[in-house]
Amino acid sequence: LTFVAMAKVFRNNGILVLESEQPVTFELSPDGIKYSIEKAGKLTIGAAVKPSSLILKGTATSNFIYDNNKKVLTIEVPAGEGMISMK
């Protein structure tokens, strides 16, 4: 379990975990990423492979972009708290 408060970029051993246009507080767990963000915006999340499914705030979505070269996905999230789960 990893908790990060009010960060725009978080890397672990030099590998991007999460990047945001604005400060975001989040918790990483085996279940996914629980986040809190003041305004709607983009989150860029490190992912070694393209997820076969992504759930945002309890709803399956395909509204994300995966960059295979950078090994990241980008998703628009609404303001407030939410949970992102990937498989």
Side-chain angles (χ1 to χ4, degrees):
L1 185 69
T2 302
F3 179 80
V4 178
M6 301 303 290
K8 287 187 174 182
V9 178
F10 177 69
R11 295 180 187 276
N12 187 7
N13 294 324
I15 298 169
L16 179 70
V17 175
L18 190 138
E19 185 172 356
S20 175
E21 301 169 321
Q22 59 185 309
V24 61
T25 297
F26 62 94
E27 179 181 287
L28 299 172
S29 73
D31 295 331
I33 301 168
K34 185 176 181 182
Y35 69 87
S36 176
I37 194 164
E38 190 174 312
K39 295 184 238 175
K42 289 182 188 173
L43 294 182
T44 301
I45 302 166
V49 295
K50 182 178 181 177
S52 58
S53 69
L54 190 140
I55 298 171
L56 173 62
K57 295 185 85 169
T59 303
T61 182
S62 59
N63 191 23
F64 65 90
I65 299 167
Y66 184 74
D67 184 326
N68 194 47
N69 292 328
K70 294 181 182 177
K71 304 294 185 197
V72 298
L73 70 88
T74 304
I75 185 168
E76 292 275 346
V77 297
E81 295 184 357
M83 178 78 170
I84 300 170
S85 301
M86 297 179 277
K87 291 188 180 181

